[in-house]
Amino acid sequence: KCAEILFQFENLLEKTPFFNSGNEMQITDMAIFPLIRQFIHVDRVGFFLFFKHLLNGISESIFLLFL
């Protein structure tokens, strides 16, 4: 079930850089990190194979937090 949700997120991030469909990170983008982090811990290889947009979004979001 978790993979189904992550595939929905992945499809959304193919169209926009952030979950809120805008050009700036919002609380919704940060709030999803724990779910994504937990999935990475359960299936690291699967995550890196199937969720490239999520991975890029996480990397970009973390970078923006420290600007």
Short mmCIF file of all heavy atoms in Angstrom, two decimals:
data_model
loop_
_atom_site.label_atom_id
_atom_site.label_comp_id
_atom_site.label_asym_id
_atom_site.label_seq_id
_atom_site.Cartn_x
_atom_site.Cartn_y
_atom_site.Cartn_z
N LYS A 1 0.82 -1.21 0.00
CA LYS A 1 0.00 0.00 0.00
C LYS A 1 0.86 1.26 0.00
O LYS A 1 0.53 2.23 -0.64
CB LYS A 1 -0.93 -0.05 1.22
CG LYS A 1 -1.91 1.07 1.27
CD LYS A 1 -2.96 0.93 0.21
CE LYS A 1 -3.98 2.02 0.33
NZ LYS A 1 -4.93 2.03 -0.72
N CYS A 2 1.96 1.21 0.72
CA CYS A 2 2.85 2.36 0.79
C CYS A 2 3.40 2.69 -0.60
O CYS A 2 3.48 3.86 -0.98
CB CYS A 2 3.97 2.10 1.78
SG CYS A 2 5.04 3.51 2.03
N ALA A 3 3.77 1.69 -1.34
CA ALA A 3 4.31 1.92 -2.69
C ALA A 3 3.27 2.59 -3.58
O ALA A 3 3.63 3.44 -4.40
CB ALA A 3 4.78 0.61 -3.30
N GLU A 4 2.01 2.23 -3.43
CA GLU A 4 0.96 2.88 -4.22
C GLU A 4 0.90 4.37 -3.93
O GLU A 4 0.77 5.19 -4.85
CB GLU A 4 -0.41 2.25 -3.90
CG GLU A 4 -0.56 0.83 -4.38
CD GLU A 4 -1.87 0.22 -3.92
OE1 GLU A 4 -2.83 0.97 -3.64
OE2 GLU A 4 -1.94 -1.01 -3.84
N ILE A 5 1.00 4.73 -2.67
CA ILE A 5 0.99 6.15 -2.29
C ILE A 5 2.22 6.85 -2.84
O ILE A 5 2.13 7.96 -3.38
CB ILE A 5 0.91 6.28 -0.75
CG1 ILE A 5 -0.42 5.74 -0.25
CG2 ILE A 5 1.12 7.73 -0.32
CD1 ILE A 5 -0.50 5.56 1.25
N LEU A 6 3.37 6.21 -2.72
CA LEU A 6 4.60 6.83 -3.22
C LEU A 6 4.57 6.98 -4.74
O LEU A 6 5.10 7.96 -5.27
CB LEU A 6 5.82 6.03 -2.78
CG LEU A 6 6.14 6.10 -1.29
CD1 LEU A 6 7.34 5.24 -0.97
CD2 LEU A 6 6.34 7.52 -0.83
N PHE A 7 3.94 6.04 -5.45
CA PHE A 7 3.80 6.19 -6.90
C PHE A 7 2.93 7.41 -7.24
O PHE A 7 3.20 8.11 -8.21
CB PHE A 7 3.23 4.93 -7.55
CG PHE A 7 4.26 3.90 -7.88
CD1 PHE A 7 4.21 2.66 -7.27
CD2 PHE A 7 5.28 4.16 -8.78
CE1 PHE A 7 5.17 1.70 -7.56
CE2 PHE A 7 6.24 3.21 -9.08
CZ PHE A 7 6.19 1.97 -8.46
N GLN A 8 1.91 7.67 -6.44
CA GLN A 8 1.09 8.86 -6.65
C GLN A 8 1.93 10.12 -6.45
O GLN A 8 1.84 11.08 -7.22
CB GLN A 8 -0.11 8.86 -5.72
CG GLN A 8 -1.13 7.82 -6.05
CD GLN A 8 -2.26 7.76 -5.03
OE1 GLN A 8 -2.32 8.53 -4.08
NE2 GLN A 8 -3.18 6.83 -5.22
N PHE A 9 2.74 10.13 -5.40
CA PHE A 9 3.64 11.27 -5.15
C PHE A 9 4.63 11.42 -6.29
O PHE A 9 4.94 12.53 -6.73
CB PHE A 9 4.38 11.10 -3.83
CG PHE A 9 3.52 11.16 -2.61
CD1 PHE A 9 3.93 10.55 -1.44
CD2 PHE A 9 2.30 11.81 -2.62
CE1 PHE A 9 3.15 10.61 -0.30
CE2 PHE A 9 1.51 11.87 -1.49
CZ PHE A 9 1.94 11.26 -0.32
N GLU A 10 5.18 10.31 -6.74
CA GLU A 10 6.15 10.32 -7.84
C GLU A 10 5.53 10.94 -9.09
O GLU A 10 6.14 11.79 -9.74
CB GLU A 10 6.62 8.89 -8.12
CG GLU A 10 7.58 8.75 -9.26
CD GLU A 10 8.99 9.21 -8.98
OE1 GLU A 10 9.29 9.59 -7.83
OE2 GLU A 10 9.79 9.22 -9.92
N ASN A 11 4.30 10.55 -9.41
CA ASN A 11 3.62 11.11 -10.58
C ASN A 11 3.38 12.60 -10.43
O ASN A 11 3.50 13.35 -11.40
CB ASN A 11 2.30 10.37 -10.82
CG ASN A 11 2.51 8.96 -11.29
OD1 ASN A 11 3.53 8.63 -11.88
ND2 ASN A 11 1.55 8.09 -11.01
N LEU A 12 3.04 13.04 -9.25
CA LEU A 12 2.82 14.46 -9.00
C LEU A 12 4.11 15.25 -9.20
O LEU A 12 4.12 16.32 -9.81
CB LEU A 12 2.29 14.68 -7.58
CG LEU A 12 2.08 16.12 -7.15
CD1 LEU A 12 1.00 16.78 -8.00
CD2 LEU A 12 1.71 16.17 -5.68
N LEU A 13 5.22 14.71 -8.73
CA LEU A 13 6.49 15.42 -8.82
C LEU A 13 7.09 15.38 -10.23
O LEU A 13 8.06 16.09 -10.50
CB LEU A 13 7.49 14.85 -7.81
CG LEU A 13 7.15 15.17 -6.36
CD1 LEU A 13 8.11 14.48 -5.43
CD2 LEU A 13 7.15 16.67 -6.12
N GLU A 14 6.53 14.58 -11.12
CA GLU A 14 6.95 14.65 -12.51
C GLU A 14 6.50 15.96 -13.13
O GLU A 14 7.13 16.45 -14.07
CB GLU A 14 6.35 13.49 -13.31
CG GLU A 14 6.97 12.15 -13.05
CD GLU A 14 6.32 11.05 -13.87
OE1 GLU A 14 5.57 11.35 -14.82
OE2 GLU A 14 6.56 9.88 -13.55
N LYS A 15 5.43 16.54 -12.62
CA LYS A 15 4.83 17.75 -13.20
C LYS A 15 5.27 19.02 -12.50
O LYS A 15 5.34 20.07 -13.13
CB LYS A 15 3.31 17.63 -13.15
CG LYS A 15 2.77 16.44 -13.90
CD LYS A 15 1.29 16.24 -13.67
CE LYS A 15 0.86 14.92 -14.26
NZ LYS A 15 0.08 14.13 -13.36
N THR A 16 5.50 18.96 -11.21
CA THR A 16 5.86 20.15 -10.43
C THR A 16 7.01 19.81 -9.50
O THR A 16 7.17 18.66 -9.09
CB THR A 16 4.67 20.65 -9.58
OG1 THR A 16 4.32 19.64 -8.65
CG2 THR A 16 3.47 20.99 -10.44
N PRO A 17 7.81 20.81 -9.12
CA PRO A 17 8.95 20.51 -8.24
C PRO A 17 8.55 20.26 -6.78
O PRO A 17 9.33 19.68 -6.03
CB PRO A 17 9.82 21.76 -8.36
CG PRO A 17 8.91 22.84 -8.81
CD PRO A 17 7.81 22.17 -9.60
N PHE A 18 7.35 20.68 -6.40
CA PHE A 18 6.92 20.52 -5.01
C PHE A 18 5.51 19.95 -4.95
O PHE A 18 4.75 20.04 -5.90
CB PHE A 18 6.97 21.87 -4.27
CG PHE A 18 8.34 22.46 -4.23
CD1 PHE A 18 8.68 23.52 -5.05
CD2 PHE A 18 9.30 21.95 -3.37
CE1 PHE A 18 9.95 24.05 -5.02
CE2 PHE A 18 10.58 22.48 -3.33
CZ PHE A 18 10.90 23.53 -4.16
N PHE A 19 5.14 19.41 -3.81
CA PHE A 19 3.83 18.76 -3.66
C PHE A 19 2.67 19.74 -3.75
O PHE A 19 1.58 19.37 -4.14
CB PHE A 19 3.75 18.03 -2.31
CG PHE A 19 4.59 16.79 -2.28
CD1 PHE A 19 5.77 16.76 -1.55
CD2 PHE A 19 4.21 15.67 -2.97
CE1 PHE A 19 6.54 15.62 -1.52
CE2 PHE A 19 4.98 14.52 -2.95
CZ PHE A 19 6.15 14.49 -2.22
N ASN A 20 2.89 20.98 -3.41
CA ASN A 20 1.79 21.95 -3.39
C ASN A 20 1.53 22.56 -4.76
O ASN A 20 0.81 23.52 -4.88
CB ASN A 20 2.08 23.06 -2.38
CG ASN A 20 3.28 23.89 -2.76
OD1 ASN A 20 3.99 23.58 -3.72
ND2 ASN A 20 3.54 24.94 -2.03
N SER A 21 2.16 22.03 -5.81
CA SER A 21 2.00 22.48 -7.20
C SER A 21 2.53 23.88 -7.42
O SER A 21 2.19 24.52 -8.39
CB SER A 21 0.52 22.42 -7.64
OG SER A 21 0.06 21.10 -7.57
N GLY A 22 3.35 24.37 -6.51
CA GLY A 22 3.93 25.70 -6.67
C GLY A 22 5.42 25.62 -6.90
O GLY A 22 5.98 24.55 -7.17
N ASN A 23 6.06 26.76 -6.81
CA ASN A 23 7.49 26.83 -7.04
C ASN A 23 8.29 27.04 -5.76
O ASN A 23 9.48 27.31 -5.82
CB ASN A 23 7.81 27.95 -8.03
CG ASN A 23 7.29 27.64 -9.42
OD1 ASN A 23 7.36 26.50 -9.84
ND2 ASN A 23 6.78 28.64 -10.11
N GLU A 24 7.61 26.94 -4.62
CA GLU A 24 8.29 27.10 -3.34
C GLU A 24 7.92 25.95 -2.41
O GLU A 24 6.80 25.45 -2.43
CB GLU A 24 7.88 28.42 -2.68
CG GLU A 24 8.31 29.65 -3.45
CD GLU A 24 7.91 30.92 -2.75
OE1 GLU A 24 7.40 30.84 -1.61
OE2 GLU A 24 8.08 31.98 -3.34
N MET A 25 8.88 25.56 -1.59
CA MET A 25 8.62 24.51 -0.62
C MET A 25 7.66 25.02 0.45
O MET A 25 7.79 26.15 0.92
CB MET A 25 9.93 24.06 0.03
CG MET A 25 9.73 22.91 0.98
SD MET A 25 11.24 22.12 1.57
CE MET A 25 12.32 23.46 1.86
N GLN A 26 6.69 24.19 0.80
CA GLN A 26 5.70 24.52 1.82
C GLN A 26 5.73 23.45 2.90
O GLN A 26 6.46 22.47 2.81
CB GLN A 26 4.30 24.58 1.18
CG GLN A 26 4.16 25.60 0.08
CD GLN A 26 4.21 27.02 0.60
OE1 GLN A 26 3.73 27.32 1.68
NE2 GLN A 26 4.80 27.91 -0.19
N ILE A 27 4.90 23.62 3.89
CA ILE A 27 4.83 22.66 5.00
C ILE A 27 4.43 21.26 4.51
O ILE A 27 4.89 20.27 5.05
CB ILE A 27 3.87 23.16 6.10
CG1 ILE A 27 3.99 22.32 7.36
CG2 ILE A 27 2.44 23.17 5.63
CD1 ILE A 27 5.22 22.59 8.16
N THR A 28 3.63 21.19 3.46
CA THR A 28 3.24 19.87 2.93
C THR A 28 4.45 19.10 2.40
O THR A 28 4.51 17.88 2.54
CB THR A 28 2.20 20.01 1.81
OG1 THR A 28 2.69 20.94 0.83
CG2 THR A 28 0.87 20.48 2.34
N ASP A 29 5.39 19.83 1.81
CA ASP A 29 6.61 19.17 1.31
C ASP A 29 7.43 18.61 2.47
O ASP A 29 7.93 17.50 2.39
CB ASP A 29 7.45 20.16 0.51
CG ASP A 29 6.71 20.69 -0.70
OD1 ASP A 29 6.50 19.90 -1.63
OD2 ASP A 29 6.35 21.87 -0.69
N MET A 30 7.55 19.37 3.54
CA MET A 30 8.31 18.92 4.70
C MET A 30 7.59 17.82 5.48
O MET A 30 8.23 16.92 6.02
CB MET A 30 8.62 20.09 5.62
CG MET A 30 9.59 21.08 4.99
SD MET A 30 9.97 22.43 6.08
CE MET A 30 8.67 23.56 5.64
N ALA A 31 6.27 17.88 5.49
CA ALA A 31 5.49 16.92 6.27
C ALA A 31 5.56 15.51 5.70
O ALA A 31 5.38 14.53 6.42
CB ALA A 31 4.03 17.37 6.35
N ILE A 32 5.84 15.39 4.42
CA ILE A 32 5.88 14.08 3.79
C ILE A 32 7.22 13.37 3.99
O ILE A 32 7.33 12.16 3.79
CB ILE A 32 5.52 14.21 2.28
CG1 ILE A 32 5.03 12.89 1.73
CG2 ILE A 32 6.69 14.72 1.47
CD1 ILE A 32 3.72 12.47 2.26
N PHE A 33 8.26 14.09 4.41
CA PHE A 33 9.58 13.50 4.58
C PHE A 33 9.60 12.27 5.48
O PHE A 33 10.26 11.28 5.14
CB PHE A 33 10.58 14.52 5.10
CG PHE A 33 10.98 15.57 4.10
CD1 PHE A 33 11.54 16.75 4.52
CD2 PHE A 33 10.80 15.38 2.74
CE1 PHE A 33 11.91 17.72 3.62
CE2 PHE A 33 11.17 16.35 1.83
CZ PHE A 33 11.73 17.53 2.27
N PRO A 34 8.92 12.26 6.63
CA PRO A 34 8.99 11.06 7.48
C PRO A 34 8.46 9.80 6.80
O PRO A 34 9.05 8.74 6.94
CB PRO A 34 8.13 11.43 8.70
CG PRO A 34 8.20 12.92 8.76
CD PRO A 34 8.24 13.36 7.31
N LEU A 35 7.38 9.91 6.03
CA LEU A 35 6.85 8.75 5.31
C LEU A 35 7.87 8.25 4.29
O LEU A 35 8.15 7.05 4.20
CB LEU A 35 5.55 9.09 4.60
CG LEU A 35 5.00 8.01 3.66
CD1 LEU A 35 4.55 6.79 4.45
CD2 LEU A 35 3.89 8.55 2.81
N ILE A 36 8.45 9.17 3.56
CA ILE A 36 9.43 8.79 2.54
C ILE A 36 10.66 8.18 3.20
O ILE A 36 11.19 7.16 2.74
CB ILE A 36 9.78 10.00 1.68
CG1 ILE A 36 8.55 10.45 0.90
CG2 ILE A 36 10.93 9.67 0.73
CD1 ILE A 36 8.69 11.76 0.19
N ARG A 37 11.12 8.78 4.29
CA ARG A 37 12.29 8.25 5.00
C ARG A 37 12.04 6.83 5.49
O ARG A 37 12.90 5.96 5.37
CB ARG A 37 12.64 9.16 6.18
CG ARG A 37 13.92 8.75 6.89
CD ARG A 37 14.12 9.50 8.16
NE ARG A 37 13.10 9.08 9.10
CZ ARG A 37 12.45 9.91 9.92
NH1 ARG A 37 12.71 11.17 9.93
NH2 ARG A 37 11.54 9.44 10.74
N GLN A 38 10.85 6.56 6.01
CA GLN A 38 10.53 5.22 6.50
C GLN A 38 10.54 4.21 5.35
O GLN A 38 11.03 3.09 5.51
CB GLN A 38 9.17 5.21 7.20
CG GLN A 38 9.16 5.94 8.51
CD GLN A 38 10.12 5.34 9.51
OE1 GLN A 38 10.29 4.13 9.59
NE2 GLN A 38 10.78 6.19 10.28
N PHE A 39 10.02 4.60 4.20
CA PHE A 39 10.02 3.69 3.07
C PHE A 39 11.45 3.40 2.62
O PHE A 39 11.77 2.26 2.28
CB PHE A 39 9.21 4.26 1.92
CG PHE A 39 9.04 3.28 0.78
CD1 PHE A 39 8.13 2.25 0.88
CD2 PHE A 39 9.82 3.37 -0.35
CE1 PHE A 39 7.98 1.33 -0.15
CE2 PHE A 39 9.69 2.47 -1.39
CZ PHE A 39 8.76 1.44 -1.28
N ILE A 40 12.31 4.41 2.62
CA ILE A 40 13.71 4.20 2.24
C ILE A 40 14.35 3.18 3.17
O ILE A 40 15.09 2.30 2.72
CB ILE A 40 14.49 5.53 2.25
CG1 ILE A 40 14.01 6.43 1.12
CG2 ILE A 40 15.99 5.28 2.12
CD1 ILE A 40 14.55 7.84 1.18
N HIS A 41 14.07 3.25 4.46
CA HIS A 41 14.65 2.31 5.41
C HIS A 41 14.15 0.88 5.20
O HIS A 41 14.88 -0.08 5.45
CB HIS A 41 14.37 2.74 6.85
CG HIS A 41 15.17 3.93 7.27
ND1 HIS A 41 16.54 3.91 7.38
CD2 HIS A 41 14.79 5.18 7.61
CE1 HIS A 41 16.97 5.09 7.76
NE2 HIS A 41 15.93 5.88 7.91
N VAL A 42 12.92 0.73 4.73
CA VAL A 42 12.35 -0.59 4.52
C VAL A 42 12.87 -1.22 3.23
O VAL A 42 13.20 -2.40 3.19
CB VAL A 42 10.81 -0.52 4.50
CG1 VAL A 42 10.20 -1.84 4.05
CG2 VAL A 42 10.28 -0.12 5.87
N ASP A 43 12.95 -0.41 2.16
CA ASP A 43 13.35 -0.96 0.85
C ASP A 43 14.20 0.07 0.11
O ASP A 43 13.73 0.74 -0.82
CB ASP A 43 12.11 -1.32 0.04
CG ASP A 43 12.45 -2.04 -1.26
OD1 ASP A 43 13.64 -2.28 -1.53
OD2 ASP A 43 11.51 -2.35 -2.01
N ARG A 44 15.44 0.20 0.50
CA ARG A 44 16.34 1.20 -0.08
C ARG A 44 16.53 0.99 -1.58
O ARG A 44 16.45 1.92 -2.36
CB ARG A 44 17.69 1.15 0.64
CG ARG A 44 18.65 2.22 0.22
CD ARG A 44 19.90 2.19 1.08
NE ARG A 44 19.61 2.37 2.48
CZ ARG A 44 19.64 3.53 3.13
NH1 ARG A 44 19.94 4.62 2.46
NH2 ARG A 44 19.37 3.59 4.41
N VAL A 45 16.76 -0.24 -2.00
CA VAL A 45 16.99 -0.52 -3.42
C VAL A 45 15.74 -0.20 -4.23
O VAL A 45 15.82 0.45 -5.28
CB VAL A 45 17.41 -2.00 -3.62
CG1 VAL A 45 17.49 -2.35 -5.10
CG2 VAL A 45 18.74 -2.25 -2.93
N GLY A 46 14.58 -0.63 -3.77
CA GLY A 46 13.33 -0.34 -4.47
C GLY A 46 13.06 1.14 -4.59
O GLY A 46 12.62 1.62 -5.64
N PHE A 47 13.35 1.87 -3.53
CA PHE A 47 13.12 3.31 -3.57
C PHE A 47 13.99 3.96 -4.63
O PHE A 47 13.51 4.75 -5.45
CB PHE A 47 13.40 3.95 -2.21
CG PHE A 47 13.12 5.42 -2.19
CD1 PHE A 47 11.85 5.88 -1.94
CD2 PHE A 47 14.12 6.34 -2.45
CE1 PHE A 47 11.57 7.24 -1.96
CE2 PHE A 47 13.86 7.69 -2.46
CZ PHE A 47 12.58 8.14 -2.21
N PHE A 48 15.27 3.64 -4.66
CA PHE A 48 16.18 4.26 -5.62
C PHE A 48 15.90 3.83 -7.06
O PHE A 48 16.21 4.56 -7.99
CB PHE A 48 17.64 3.99 -5.24
CG PHE A 48 18.07 4.77 -4.03
CD1 PHE A 48 18.27 4.13 -2.82
CD2 PHE A 48 18.24 6.14 -4.09
CE1 PHE A 48 18.65 4.85 -1.70
CE2 PHE A 48 18.62 6.87 -2.98
CZ PHE A 48 18.83 6.23 -1.78
N LEU A 49 15.29 2.67 -7.24
CA LEU A 49 14.94 2.21 -8.59
C LEU A 49 13.68 2.87 -9.13
O LEU A 49 13.61 3.21 -10.31
CB LEU A 49 14.75 0.69 -8.60
CG LEU A 49 16.00 -0.16 -8.53
CD1 LEU A 49 15.63 -1.63 -8.42
CD2 LEU A 49 16.87 0.08 -9.76
N PHE A 50 12.66 3.02 -8.28
CA PHE A 50 11.34 3.41 -8.76
C PHE A 50 10.91 4.84 -8.47
O PHE A 50 9.95 5.32 -9.06
CB PHE A 50 10.27 2.47 -8.18
CG PHE A 50 10.44 1.05 -8.61
CD1 PHE A 50 10.86 0.08 -7.71
CD2 PHE A 50 10.22 0.68 -9.91
CE1 PHE A 50 11.03 -1.23 -8.10
CE2 PHE A 50 10.38 -0.64 -10.32
CZ PHE A 50 10.79 -1.59 -9.41
N PHE A 51 11.60 5.54 -7.59
CA PHE A 51 11.11 6.86 -7.16
C PHE A 51 12.16 7.94 -7.35
O PHE A 51 12.55 8.64 -6.43
CB PHE A 51 10.65 6.78 -5.70
CG PHE A 51 9.59 5.76 -5.47
CD1 PHE A 51 9.86 4.60 -4.78
CD2 PHE A 51 8.32 5.94 -5.99
CE1 PHE A 51 8.88 3.64 -4.57
CE2 PHE A 51 7.33 4.97 -5.80
CZ PHE A 51 7.62 3.83 -5.09
N LYS A 52 12.57 8.12 -8.60
CA LYS A 52 13.62 9.09 -8.91
C LYS A 52 13.18 10.54 -8.67
O LYS A 52 13.96 11.36 -8.20
CB LYS A 52 14.09 8.90 -10.35
CG LYS A 52 14.84 7.60 -10.55
CD LYS A 52 15.17 7.38 -12.00
CE LYS A 52 15.95 6.11 -12.24
NZ LYS A 52 15.43 4.90 -11.69
N HIS A 53 11.93 10.87 -8.99
CA HIS A 53 11.46 12.23 -8.77
C HIS A 53 11.34 12.54 -7.27
O HIS A 53 11.64 13.65 -6.85
CB HIS A 53 10.12 12.47 -9.47
CG HIS A 53 10.24 12.52 -10.95
ND1 HIS A 53 10.00 11.43 -11.74
CD2 HIS A 53 10.62 13.51 -11.79
CE1 HIS A 53 10.19 11.75 -13.01
NE2 HIS A 53 10.58 13.01 -13.06
N LEU A 54 10.90 11.56 -6.50
CA LEU A 54 10.85 11.76 -5.05
C LEU A 54 12.24 11.98 -4.49
O LEU A 54 12.46 12.86 -3.65
CB LEU A 54 10.22 10.54 -4.36
CG LEU A 54 8.71 10.49 -4.32
CD1 LEU A 54 8.25 9.15 -3.76
CD2 LEU A 54 8.16 11.60 -3.48
N LEU A 55 13.19 11.22 -4.97
CA LEU A 55 14.57 11.36 -4.51
C LEU A 55 15.11 12.74 -4.86
O LEU A 55 15.71 13.42 -4.02
CB LEU A 55 15.44 10.27 -5.12
CG LEU A 55 16.90 10.26 -4.69
CD1 LEU A 55 16.99 10.06 -3.17
CD2 LEU A 55 17.65 9.17 -5.41
N ASN A 56 14.86 13.19 -6.09
CA ASN A 56 15.31 14.52 -6.49
C ASN A 56 14.61 15.60 -5.68
O ASN A 56 15.22 16.59 -5.29
CB ASN A 56 15.06 14.75 -7.99
CG ASN A 56 15.95 13.90 -8.85
OD1 ASN A 56 17.00 13.45 -8.41
ND2 ASN A 56 15.53 13.66 -10.07
N GLY A 57 13.32 15.42 -5.43
CA GLY A 57 12.58 16.39 -4.63
C GLY A 57 13.09 16.48 -3.21
O GLY A 57 13.22 17.57 -2.65
N ILE A 58 13.43 15.35 -2.64
CA ILE A 58 13.97 15.34 -1.28
C ILE A 58 15.31 16.05 -1.25
O ILE A 58 15.57 16.90 -0.40
CB ILE A 58 14.12 13.90 -0.76
CG1 ILE A 58 12.76 13.28 -0.52
CG2 ILE A 58 14.95 13.87 0.52
CD1 ILE A 58 12.82 11.80 -0.24
N SER A 59 16.16 15.72 -2.19
CA SER A 59 17.49 16.33 -2.24
C SER A 59 17.39 17.85 -2.40
O SER A 59 18.07 18.60 -1.71
CB SER A 59 18.30 15.76 -3.40
OG SER A 59 18.46 14.38 -3.25
N GLU A 60 16.54 18.30 -3.31
CA GLU A 60 16.37 19.72 -3.53
C GLU A 60 15.77 20.41 -2.31
O GLU A 60 16.21 21.48 -1.91
CB GLU A 60 15.49 19.96 -4.75
CG GLU A 60 15.33 21.42 -5.11
CD GLU A 60 14.53 21.61 -6.38
OE1 GLU A 60 14.64 20.78 -7.29
OE2 GLU A 60 13.80 22.61 -6.45
N SER A 61 14.79 19.78 -1.70
CA SER A 61 14.14 20.37 -0.53
C SER A 61 15.11 20.50 0.64
O SER A 61 15.12 21.52 1.33
CB SER A 61 12.93 19.54 -0.12
OG SER A 61 11.98 19.53 -1.14
N ILE A 62 15.91 19.49 0.86
CA ILE A 62 16.88 19.54 1.95
C ILE A 62 17.89 20.65 1.68
O ILE A 62 18.25 21.42 2.57
CB ILE A 62 17.57 18.17 2.13
CG1 ILE A 62 16.56 17.18 2.69
CG2 ILE A 62 18.79 18.29 3.05
CD1 ILE A 62 17.05 15.75 2.72
N PHE A 63 18.32 20.77 0.44
CA PHE A 63 19.25 21.84 0.06
C PHE A 63 18.64 23.22 0.35
O PHE A 63 19.29 24.08 0.92
CB PHE A 63 19.63 21.72 -1.41
CG PHE A 63 20.49 22.83 -1.91
CD1 PHE A 63 21.83 22.87 -1.58
CD2 PHE A 63 19.95 23.83 -2.70
CE1 PHE A 63 22.62 23.91 -2.04
CE2 PHE A 63 20.74 24.86 -3.16
CZ PHE A 63 22.09 24.91 -2.82
N LEU A 64 17.37 23.40 -0.02
CA LEU A 64 16.71 24.69 0.18
C LEU A 64 16.54 25.03 1.67
O LEU A 64 16.53 26.20 2.03
CB LEU A 64 15.35 24.70 -0.51
CG LEU A 64 15.38 24.72 -2.04
CD1 LEU A 64 13.97 24.58 -2.60
CD2 LEU A 64 16.03 25.99 -2.55
N LEU A 65 16.41 24.02 2.50
CA LEU A 65 16.27 24.27 3.93
C LEU A 65 17.50 24.94 4.52
O LEU A 65 17.42 25.67 5.50
CB LEU A 65 16.01 22.96 4.67
CG LEU A 65 14.62 22.38 4.56
CD1 LEU A 65 14.58 21.00 5.23
CD2 LEU A 65 13.59 23.29 5.18
N PHE A 66 18.66 24.70 3.91
CA PHE A 66 19.89 25.22 4.47
C PHE A 66 20.40 26.47 3.78
O PHE A 66 21.50 26.93 4.05
CB PHE A 66 20.97 24.12 4.45
CG PHE A 66 20.63 23.01 5.39
CD1 PHE A 66 20.12 21.82 4.90
CD2 PHE A 66 20.79 23.16 6.75
CE1 PHE A 66 19.78 20.79 5.77
CE2 PHE A 66 20.46 22.14 7.62
CZ PHE A 66 19.96 20.95 7.14
N LEU A 67 19.62 27.06 2.88
CA LEU A 67 20.02 28.31 2.24
C LEU A 67 19.85 29.49 3.17
O LEU A 67 19.03 29.56 3.99
CB LEU A 67 19.19 28.54 0.97
CG LEU A 67 19.55 27.67 -0.21
CD1 LEU A 67 18.64 28.01 -1.39
CD2 LEU A 67 20.99 27.86 -0.63
#
